[in-house]
Amino acid sequence: MEKHTEQELIRRESLKKIQDLGINPYPAEEYNITTTSVELKKNFLTTKGSDQKIKIAGRIMSRRIMGKASFIEIKDFAGRVQVYVSRDEICPKEDKTMYNDVFKKYLDIGDIIGVEGEVFKTKVGEISVRAKQIKILSKSIRPLPVVKVDSDGTTHDDFKNTELRYRQRSLDLIVNDEAWLVFEKRTQIFNNIRSQLNKKGYMEVETPILQPIAGGAAAKPFITHHNKLDIPLYLRIANELYLKRLIIGGKEGVFEFAKDFRNEGMDKTHNPEFTMLEFYVAYKDYNWMMGFVEKLLEETANNVCGKTEVYYGKNKINYKGPYKRIAFFEAIKEETGDDISKLEIKELFKYCKSKNIETNKSMGRGKLFDAVFGEFCEKKLIQPTYIIDYPMEMSPLTKKHRKKNGLTERFELFINGKEIANAYSEQNDPIEQRKSFEDQMRLSKKGDDEAMIIDKRFLSALEYGMPPTSGIGIGMDRLTMLLTNKTTIQ
C-alpha cells in the first residue's frame, strides 16, 4: 500500500472536501487566458493605469491570509504576479463558501488556479490583480518545498541539491525559476545554428535510430532485439554513414540534430544519451570546415549571449575566430617534451607505463596515442583550439593527409579542456575505406569493444562515388553547458 506523509494526507483530505462541495478540482474544459503576468504589467505601465480586465492562470507559489482579504502570488508561463483576493469581491452574494472554506482552508501552495479580475497598483506600488473570480484548475496533492530561513540566515527546503533537481526535473522547474533559463537558452542555441545552416541551403534530415550495424564512430552500443525479424538492432552511436549516403545521392549539404546512444560511463561531461549535430558538405575539406565552425560559434554566442566572450566558471572563453591550431603530435611534444609519433605499439605501452597511464592489452596504437593526449594535453586547452592532423590509427573514416605521411585531415575542437567537435576531410576512396574497416575488425578481435564494424551497405554506396566532402559532429549538450555556464551535462 502506498504510504503518504502527513502533509500529503492533509492535501488529499482537502481534495475530498472540495469535491464534496461539488467542485471539480480537475476540470476538462478550456480556460481561455487573455494575458500573462509579464504582459499585464507592461500593458498597465503603457496605458498609465487604465482599467484592464484580464484572465490569467498559474500556480500558487505563496499566500498571506488576512481575514476577509488575502494576497497570493501565482507563477505562469512568463513570470509571477501578485493577486489580491477579497472575500466580498469573489463572493458578492450571501454565500461566502468559496472564500471562507475553499480559498482559506482547502487551497494550497502548488495548486493551479484561474483568475479573472482587474489590474491595479497597491499602496506600496506593486502592480497586482484584483480577483473577481477564482477557478480551481488542478489540485496539488504533493506539497512543494517551501524555503524557510532561520534567525541565523540558514535556509531549509530550498531544493538546491543538484542530484535531487535532476531526478525531479518537474519540481526543479516549478520552484527554481532560473532552471527554465537553461532550457530557453538551449532552444536558442539550436535555433540559431539551424538558421545558419538553413541560410546556406543545407537540408535538415532524419536518419534511423535503430540500426543493423553500430557504425560511424568508435563506441560501445546499446543492443536491442527486433521480435518480428528476429535480429539484433543497435541504438545509433552516430549518424555519419547515413548522412554521407545522402551526399553520395547528390545533395550539397545535409545536417541532423540527432539523439545518439553510447553504452559507456557517466560523468559531468558524458551521458549515455546525448544530442549531436552532424553536417556534411560536398566539395569542401577540413580547412574550410574550421573557418565555417568559427563563424557558426561566433554568431551563436553573439546571438544567444549577446557577446563573443562568455564566462565558464572562472574562465572567460572567447568564441571570436580565428581559433588556434596545433598538430596532434606537436601538442603532445609541447606538454611532455617527447615525440611519440614514430613509436611502435610495444614502445607505446612502455611509454604509457612510464607515465602512469592506464592501459589494457586490447588497445591499439590509436587508443594509446589518445590516452597520452588525454593525460597531458586535453585539460590545458581552455580557449577554442583546433587539434589537427591526427594519426591514421585514430581516424578510420578520414582521408589521408595530402602532404604528411601517417596522418589524416582531421581536427577536433577543444574548449575549456573538453572536446566539442570532431571533423574530417571525409574518406571517399572505397578501397582505402574498406582497409580501414578491416583494421578496425582486427582490433575488435583483440577485445576492443569500441572498434568499428564493417558497414557493407555504406561501402557499396561509396563505390558509386562520393565527391570530396567535409563533415563534422558537434556535441550540442557540451556546447549548451559552455554557453549556459553549467557544470554537468545532465
Side-chain angles (χ1 to χ4, degrees):
M1 184 177 177
E2 187 180 5
K3 292 183 179 180
H4 302 294
T5 66
E6 181 182 356
Q7 283 297 315
E8 288 169 348
L9 291 172
I10 291 171
R11 284 181 176 237
R12 286 168 184 261
E13 183 62 28
S14 295
L15 172 66
K16 185 177 183 304
K17 294 287 187 183
I18 290 171
Q19 291 170 328
D20 289 344
L21 290 169
I23 299 171
N24 181 1
Y26 305 105
E29 67 268 18
E30 183 179 6
Y31 191 83
N32 291 308
I33 62 174
T34 61
T35 187
T36 68
S37 57
V38 172
E39 288 173 352
L40 69 85
K41 293 174 185 177
K42 181 179 177 182
N43 291 339
F44 184 86
L45 293 172
T46 303
T47 57
K48 297 181 179 178
S50 61
D51 289 341
Q52 294 178 48
K53 290 183 171 53
I54 57 92
K55 192 174 182 181
I56 61 171
R59 188 184 298 274
I60 299 174
M61 300 305 292
S62 67
R63 57 196 308 228
R64 286 176 288 145
I65 305 297
M66 302 178 296
K68 297 180 180 180
S70 303
F71 284 97
I72 60 173
E73 181 186 53
I74 66 170
K75 178 181 179 182
D76 65 3
F77 306 125
R80 300 187 183 213
V81 66
Q82 179 175 263
V83 178
Y84 171 72
V85 184
S86 166
R87 184 191 69 178
D88 295 331
E89 290 273 8
I90 67 169
C91 304
K93 298 180 181 179
E94 291 298 318
D95 186 0
K96 307 298 182 182
T97 302
M98 184 63 193
Y99 184 85
N100 291 337
D101 291 335
V102 177
F103 181 79
K104 288 179 67 175
K105 295 180 181 178
Y106 307 139
L107 280 188
D108 294 291
I109 291 174
D111 292 350
I112 298 173
I113 62 172
V115 178
E116 288 188 60
E118 298 172 350
V119 184
F120 76 109
K121 186 179 285 189
T122 66
K123 292 179 180 179
V124 295
E126 183 171 355
I127 298 172
S128 306
V129 176
R130 180 183 286 107
K132 298 294 184 180
Q133 185 177 353
I134 290 179
K135 183 178 179 64
I136 301 172
L137 302 177
S138 183
K139 177 67 182 165
S140 169
I141 58 174
R142 186 182 292 269
L144 298 179
V146 177
V147 181
K148 300 181 181 69
V149 183
D150 288 346
S151 56
D152 62 358
T154 304
T155 59
H156 302 274
D157 297 328
D158 55 356
F159 202 64
K160 294 297 182 183
N161 181 281
T162 301
E163 292 302 318
L164 276 176
R165 290 177 68 182
Y166 291 148
R167 284 200 296 269
Q168 300 183 57
R169 181 60 90 181
S170 297
L171 180 57
D172 180 30
L173 293 169
I174 291 170
V175 300
N176 292 314
D177 291 345
E178 77 280 1
W180 269 115
L181 298 178
V182 179
F183 281 73
E184 291 165 1
K185 192 165 280 191
R186 186 178 192 270
T187 298
Q188 292 171 16
I189 293 167
F190 277 65
N191 288 344
N192 194 271
I193 291 177
R194 177 179 281 112
S195 175
Q196 292 182 67
L197 295 174
N198 284 336
K199 285 177 183 176
K200 298 292 290 186
Y202 305 149
M203 177 182 284
E204 184 170 7
V205 298
E206 289 187 353
T207 60
I209 292 177
L210 288 174
Q211 300 180 354
I213 291 173
K220 188 175 181 179
F222 286 93
I223 305 173
T224 186
H225 187 81
H226 193 296
N227 291 335
K228 185 70 174 178
L229 298 177
D230 194 24
I231 58 170
L233 289 174
Y234 303 87
L235 294 181
R236 70 175 167 210
I237 57 174
N239 51 347
E240 175 170 342
L241 302 184
Y242 284 87
L243 290 174
K244 286 197 283 194
R245 290 187 211 183
L246 300 177
I247 297 294
I248 294 168
K251 271 295 168 189
E252 176 194 5
V254 293
F255 69 95
E256 180 178 14
F257 291 96
K259 277 291 183 187
D260 291 340
F261 308 84
R262 297 182 184 178
N263 199 357
E264 299 165 349
M266 298 173 64
D267 58 34
K268 289 186 175 182
T269 59
H270 292 85
N271 207 42
E273 175 185 349
F274 57 97
T275 304
M276 290 288 291
L277 163 66
E278 291 204 26
F279 67 92
Y280 295 80
V281 185
Y283 305 109
K284 305 297 183 185
D285 65 5
Y286 80 139
N287 292 308
W288 173 88
M289 185 63 81
M290 279 186 265
F292 185 84
V293 169
E294 286 169 355
K295 294 175 185 174
L296 190 75
L297 296 188
E298 181 180 329
E299 185 173 323
T300 300
N302 240 332
N303 291 342
V304 173
C305 302
K307 53 192 174 183
T308 57
E309 290 187 320
V310 181
Y311 272 101
Y312 186 79
K314 64 181 180 180
N315 296 323
K316 184 191 285 187
I317 310 297
N318 188 357
Y319 290 92
K320 187 174 179 59
Y323 301 159
K324 186 177 180 180
R325 303 181 186 189
I326 311 174
F328 179 81
F329 286 120
E330 287 177 13
I332 292 175
K333 188 173 182 180
E334 201 173 281
E335 294 299 330
T336 66
D338 302 320
D339 180 1
I340 66 170
S341 62
K342 301 294 191 294
L343 297 183
E344 295 303 325
I345 192 160
K346 288 183 180 179
E347 296 170 311
L348 276 171
F349 271 114
K350 288 180 182 178
Y351 182 82
C352 288
K353 186 176 181 181
S354 72
K355 300 294 185 180
N356 296 316
I357 298 172
E358 188 175 340
T359 62
N360 63 69
K361 63 181 181 181
S362 73
M363 295 172 75
R365 213 162 163 252
K367 281 207 166 184
L368 294 169
F369 285 142
D370 192 37
V372 176
F373 179 84
E375 178 68 24
F376 292 106
C377 304
E378 200 167 304
K379 57 183 173 291
K380 305 285 184 67
L381 303 172
I382 303 302
Q383 294 303 319
T385 303
Y386 291 127
I387 299 297
I388 64 173
D389 303 345
Y390 279 70
M392 289 174 57
E393 294 89 344
M394 292 180 67
S395 315
L397 297 169
T398 314
K399 285 190 77 68
K400 292 179 181 177
H401 200 285
R402 65 196 79 175
K403 294 180 180 178
K404 302 174 184 177
N405 290 334
L407 302 181
T408 59
E409 297 199 346
R410 173 189 176 187
F411 73 79
E412 287 187 304
L413 173 62
F414 288 85
I415 305 176
N416 205 70
K418 292 296 178 182
E419 176 205 343
I420 301 301
N422 184 22
Y424 315 145
S425 293
E426 300 292 337
Q427 177 61 270
N428 64 340
D429 181 335
I431 295 172
E432 289 295 326
Q433 183 62 83
R434 185 177 292 275
K435 288 179 182 177
S436 293
F437 277 146
E438 289 170 349
D439 289 341
Q440 287 287 300
M441 290 303 292
R442 282 189 280 274
L443 288 173
S444 179
K445 288 178 181 177
K446 287 177 61 178
D448 186 346
D449 58 7
E450 293 184 352
M452 291 188 189
I453 300 171
I454 295 177
D455 189 331
K456 294 180 181 178
R457 291 182 181 178
F458 171 68
L459 286 174
S460 176
L462 197 60
E463 288 171 356
Y464 289 108
M466 184 175 80
T469 298
S470 182
I472 191 168
I474 299 175
M476 295 302 297
D477 303 308
R478 288 187 181 179
L479 181 60
T480 301
M481 286 176 64
L482 288 168
L483 294 180
T484 58
N485 197 20
K486 293 300 175 183
T487 58
T488 173
I489 199 166
Q490 292 176 320

